[in-house]
Amino acid sequence: MFYREVGQFKTNYTADSQVFPILQDKVGIIAMLVIAYVIIPMAGNDFFITTVMIPFLVFTLATIGLNILVGYTGQLSLGTGAFMGVGAYSCYKLTTFFPDVNIIILVLLSGFFAAGVGIIFGLPSLRIKGFYLAVTTLAAQFFLEWAFIRIPWLYNYNDSGAIEVPQREGFGVILTGAAAQPVTRYLVVLSIVLVMTWIASNIIRGRIGRSWMMIRDMDIAAELMGVRPLYAKLSAFAVSSFYCGVAGAMFVFFWLGAAEVESFDINHSFLFLFMAIIGGLGSLIGCYMGAAFIWILPIIIRALPEALGLDVNAATVEHINFMMIGGMIIFFLIVEPHGLARLWQIAKEKLRTWPFPYS
Amino acid sequence: MDILYNILIDPFVQMGSAPDFFLQVLWSGFVAGTLYSLIALGFVLIFKASGVFNFAQGIMVVFAALTLVGLYQAGVPAWLALILTIGAMFALAWLVERIVLRNLVNQEEIILFMATIGLNYFLIGFGEYVFGGEPKPMIAAELGLPTGSTTFEPFGGIVIIEHLDVAAVVMAIILVTALAIFFNKTRIGRALRAVADDHQAALSVGISLNQIWVIVWFAAGIVALATGIMWGAKSDVSFALQIVALKALPVLIIGGFTSIPGAIIGGLVIGFGEKLFEIYWGGLLGSGVEGWFAYVIALIFLLFRPQGLFGEKIIERI
């Protein structure tokens, strides 16, 4: 009843191909933006912004990157964590060389380094498919992890082997480092993530995105119809790694503050794969939902015993957390293999006919 | 020129000048390779029969070993603990089939793969909850595994061969032979191969898919238990083993996902290659090469044979 496109006529092609063609969607998006830009910075405390919102947004961006590769192009990748690492380390090197340049520009530039590495490790995809390809991306994961430890130049030869984020300013405000306000960091991350989501949605709707999806659905048929696998696959690897690289740079510069190689290990790669699958492969809104689900659920589980006044030790909670996540993943796959995005779509369909489903 | 010398000539000079050490390295590579093969075997069994890429094989190894040690520490005699652990692996196989696989029939491969990752997480949490996270020593002596070592003196040097390693190799050979006989000669084995070939055709001649899956996961569980005992006896039983288990993936790549001999040969190639490279060439790159060498080998291998050494050639049609 409330969600119905009746009476919303489109008179030209441009109007019909808008990102949000339905009025209710537009209103919903504007409401979400108001919440994200006005209400959360005003009402949220530092804990909420730093532990929940910033990582959630960063992980969303990484998930979008992975989803471009897995969900839209059908190339299974287990190396997301390492590509994020490339972004983070190159951003660190860039800001060491150019301390005066606005850090946001450097964060975006570091994505290009990740894209380059992504193209190199994407080359096998021209010959290999499916799980075989997944194992070659593991090669990227382990090789890059090793490189982050063994090449001291990457972390400026400091003794700890970690990268420490220096204080950097942009637009006259402190953006990174210990002195930066959580709200400032949150707004920067939010803006970057939203703009990059918008760009991703347009790439996917365009010629390049369509060629990716053709490759995903059947690569031989796509090739016969004139899609060049070389360009389609490598561009998917490049764009995906670019997104992961930017996410990695933001991960360290706007959230962690300091990072070692453990921040980019294989468990993180799996985490993003979960987010992409639970959220829904081949869906951008699903990336937000998946990241929220996988990131926020454990926080709630950890906080729950305390809120209920139970005295459970931290290790037990951590174990239960693992079991819950594992169980949830299996449960969701059984109930809805196409993820939360599909559930959302079903809900919208139901809303459209509610309360008269048969009329 | 120095670099070329270091890469192309120096390692071989080292091998020639200390042949006893070279033999020792080869032996350790052989043992590591056997153990990789065992883990890979578990993957292959399940992949062949259900098309599921079982990511949880690594944690099944840890889980089986932990159950065994945990039961023993709780006061159960070693032989009974072994039988109970086998029972636990059967229960696990049955539950996995009942709760996970049965509900996911006919889903895409990646969904099934993700489900096994979910299983992986669940078992990590469950195992740590029940048995605790700290490393435990494997009850090798109580199970009747030999300890001690024999020293040989070829070429005027010394080569030390641990009896445990010999036991591992013997056990692997017995296991593989038993599986080969089981697959080729028994009724259930033929049914397994039929399922692997074509699910629908197998169903239509009256083979129960569900039963077959339980059997296969149980067989993989037994392989996991054997692997867990051997790995656990070499180092302690801990959750770090599952990272080692990931090494089985490049082994599979080299061997091909569906081939049992492939798993064995792949394991040996990785085992030998890794140890030789780490010791003779690793110094040039800084140490720790073992972590990624196997994967890079697999990657290079795939560029020439995309279906692995013994994998079936994939013919694609539109």
Side-chain angles (χ1 to χ4, degrees):
Chain A
M1 190 163 75
F2 303 112
Y3 185 82
R4 192 171 275 191
E5 62 271 49
V6 175
Q8 299 182 27
F9 300 116
K10 303 284 184 273
T11 46
N12 56 32
Y13 186 71
T14 327
D16 201 38
S17 58
Q18 285 170 326
V19 179
F20 300 108
I22 300 171
L23 180 67
Q24 285 88 337
D25 282 347
K26 279 180 201 151
V27 174
I29 282 296
I30 289 168
M32 293 294 277
L33 286 180
V34 169
I35 292 174
Y37 270 103
V38 182
I39 297 178
I40 289 178
M42 277 168 64
N45 56 15
D46 283 1
F47 171 81
F48 178 71
I49 288 178
T50 43
T51 2
V52 180
M53 287 313 288
I54 296 180
F56 155 63
L57 288 167
V58 170
F59 291 168
T60 302
L61 193 64
T63 311
I64 290 176
L66 183 63
N67 217 335
I68 286 174
L69 201 55
V70 182
Y72 288 101
T73 323
Q75 313 291 311
L76 187 55
S77 164
L78 301 175
T80 324
F83 293 133
M84 285 177 76
V86 174
Y89 279 89
S90 49
C91 190
Y92 181 66
K93 286 313 281 187
L94 280 173
T95 191
T96 316
F97 289 132
F98 311 104
D100 298 327
V101 179
N102 189 332
I103 189 73
I104 295 175
I105 295 174
L106 294 183
V107 165
L108 294 176
L109 272 182
S110 59
F112 287 102
F113 290 89
V117 175
I119 289 176
I120 294 171
F121 282 101
L123 282 173
S125 73
L126 298 173
R127 268 177 77 82
I128 311 166
K129 288 170 200 166
F131 291 122
Y132 287 93
L133 183 67
V135 178
T136 64
T137 57
L138 275 182
Q141 173 73 42
F142 287 104
F143 178 76
L144 290 171
E145 257 184 54
W146 175 84
F148 296 149
I149 301 174
R150 299 289 162 182
I151 305 177
W153 179 78
L154 286 174
Y155 46 87
N156 289 354
Y157 302 96
N158 60 18
D159 295 330
S160 61
I163 47 175
E164 302 266 350
V165 174
Q167 181 166 323
R168 291 286 180 264
E169 296 179 14
F171 314 114
V173 224
I174 302 169
L175 292 177
T176 64
Q181 291 296 316
V183 175
T184 327
R185 287 186 282 144
Y186 165 72
L187 288 175
V188 171
V189 172
L190 178 67
S191 309
I192 294 179
V193 172
L194 287 181
V195 169
M196 286 184 70
T197 311
W198 177 70
I199 294 174
S201 88
N202 279 313
I203 296 178
I204 288 162
R205 281 147 40 97
R207 189 181 58 82
I208 302 175
R210 282 159 196 245
S211 71
W212 292 344
M213 286 184 261
M214 287 167 82
I215 290 284
R216 171 193 67 190
D217 292 340
M218 189 173 231
D219 53 353
I220 297 178
E223 199 177 344
L224 289 174
M225 291 168 77
V227 174
R228 293 214 230 165
L230 178 74
Y231 290 93
K233 286 182 178 172
L234 290 189
S235 66
F237 266 95
V239 174
S240 157
S241 310
F242 180 86
Y243 275 72
C244 294
V246 172
M250 292 202 301
F251 182 52
V252 175
F253 276 72
F254 294 111
W255 186 45
L256 289 177
E260 284 182 52
V261 72
E262 281 78 28
S263 312
F264 309 108
D265 65 1
I266 184 149
N267 289 327
H268 281 83
S269 301
F270 283 126
L271 197 71
F272 301 124
L273 196 57
F274 287 154
M275 291 175 180
I277 298 209
I278 295 287
L281 287 174
S283 156
L284 287 178
I285 185 102
C287 296
Y288 283 85
M289 293 177 176
F293 185 82
I294 297 275
W295 180 247
I296 294 170
L297 182 77
I299 295 180
I300 295 175
I301 295 174
R302 277 189 209 110
L304 208 57
E306 216 170 301
L308 294 174
L310 297 172
D311 186 33
V312 186
N313 75 42
T316 312
V317 175
E318 205 49 44
H319 301 155
I320 292 178
N321 198 358
F322 262 98
M323 283 158 71
M324 286 282 283
I325 291 182
M328 280 298 211
I329 290 165
I330 295 175
F331 173 76
F332 262 97
L333 290 175
I334 291 171
V335 175
E336 184 49 72
H338 298 288
L340 296 170
R342 176 88 187 126
L343 287 179
W344 171 239
Q345 212 178 349
I346 294 171
K348 281 204 294 190
E349 281 303 318
K350 296 247 179 237
L351 269 181
R352 182 171 293 173
T353 50
W354 186 85
F356 305 112
Y358 300 108
S359 62
Chain B
M1 276 321 279
D2 256 6
I3 294 174
L4 276 183
Y5 176 78
N6 280 335
I7 294 174
L8 295 177
I9 299 171
D10 189 46
F12 298 104
V13 173
Q14 282 182 35
M15 286 176 202
S17 61
D20 52 330
F21 182 63
F22 179 60
L23 278 180
Q24 184 78 60
V25 173
L26 279 186
W27 172 248
S28 68
F30 179 61
V31 175
T34 327
L35 292 172
Y36 290 149
S37 310
L38 273 181
I39 302 179
L41 201 59
F43 277 100
V44 169
L45 278 178
I46 291 182
F47 191 82
K48 258 176 96 80
S50 53
V52 178
F53 189 85
N54 179 24
F55 192 79
Q57 183 69 27
I59 196 71
M60 274 165 72
V61 170
V62 179
F63 191 72
L66 272 181
T67 314
L68 182 62
V69 176
L71 281 172
Y72 181 75
Q73 284 179 348
V76 182
W79 59 271
L80 189 61
L82 190 63
I83 294 172
L84 286 178
T85 309
I86 292 174
M89 293 323 281
F90 181 76
L92 180 69
W94 187 76
L95 284 174
V96 165
E97 196 278 326
R98 198 81 200 176
I99 297 173
V100 184
L101 291 178
R102 185 171 287 195
N103 292 310
L104 287 173
V105 175
N106 237 348
Q107 292 290 357
E108 290 162 50
E109 283 179 344
I110 185 170
I111 303 287
L112 287 160
F113 171 61
M114 286 308 294
T116 64
I117 298 185
L119 183 67
N120 187 37
Y121 267 59
F122 184 83
L123 286 179
I124 292 177
F126 187 68
E128 286 197 18
Y129 181 71
V130 178
F131 302 109
E134 69 279 0
K136 292 183 171 55
M138 173 48 75
I139 44 169
E142 288 83 349
L143 288 171
L145 292 173
T147 46
S149 57
T150 308
T151 309
F152 292 98
E153 295 182 357
F155 312 114
I158 37 168
V159 175
I160 299 166
I161 288 179
E162 302 258 349
H163 290 171
L164 193 66
D165 291 347
V166 181
V169 172
V170 171
M171 196 153 139
I173 292 170
I174 292 174
L175 208 58
V176 169
T177 323
L179 280 173
I181 292 172
F182 175 66
F183 259 85
N184 288 317
K185 301 288 177 199
T186 64
R187 197 179 141 80
I188 297 173
R190 277 196 294 274
L192 281 176
R193 282 189 296 153
V195 170
D197 212 39
D198 190 330
H199 283 189
Q200 281 182 344
L203 274 175
S204 69
V205 293
I207 295 167
S208 157
L209 266 190
N210 299 331
Q211 205 186 353
I212 292 296
W213 279 343
V214 174
I215 292 170
V216 160
W217 277 74
F218 180 46
I222 301 265
V223 173
L225 177 61
T227 323
I229 293 174
M230 295 332 288
W231 268 116
K234 282 178 74 70
S235 55
D236 283 345
V237 181
S238 73
F239 283 86
L241 264 182
Q242 52 156 332
I243 294 291
V244 180
L246 274 183
K247 283 258 181 68
L249 299 180
V251 169
L252 288 175
I253 290 275
I254 292 181
F257 278 138
T258 48
S259 160
I260 290 181
I264 295 157
I265 291 175
L268 292 178
V269 167
I270 295 282
F272 280 128
E274 192 177 81
K275 287 281 186 280
L276 287 175
F277 193 80
E278 170 79 35
I279 291 190
Y280 291 104
W281 282 272
L284 298 172
L285 293 166
S287 54
V289 192
E290 257 184 302
W292 53 265
F293 178 74
Y295 299 94
V296 174
I297 284 279
L299 206 159
I300 296 166
F301 228 92
L302 278 181
L303 287 177
F304 296 100
R305 272 189 77 84
Q307 72 277 19
L309 207 53
F310 297 99
E312 286 150 30
K313 188 150 177 62
I314 312 148
I315 299 167
E316 283 183 90
R317 295 192 177 84
I318 293 182

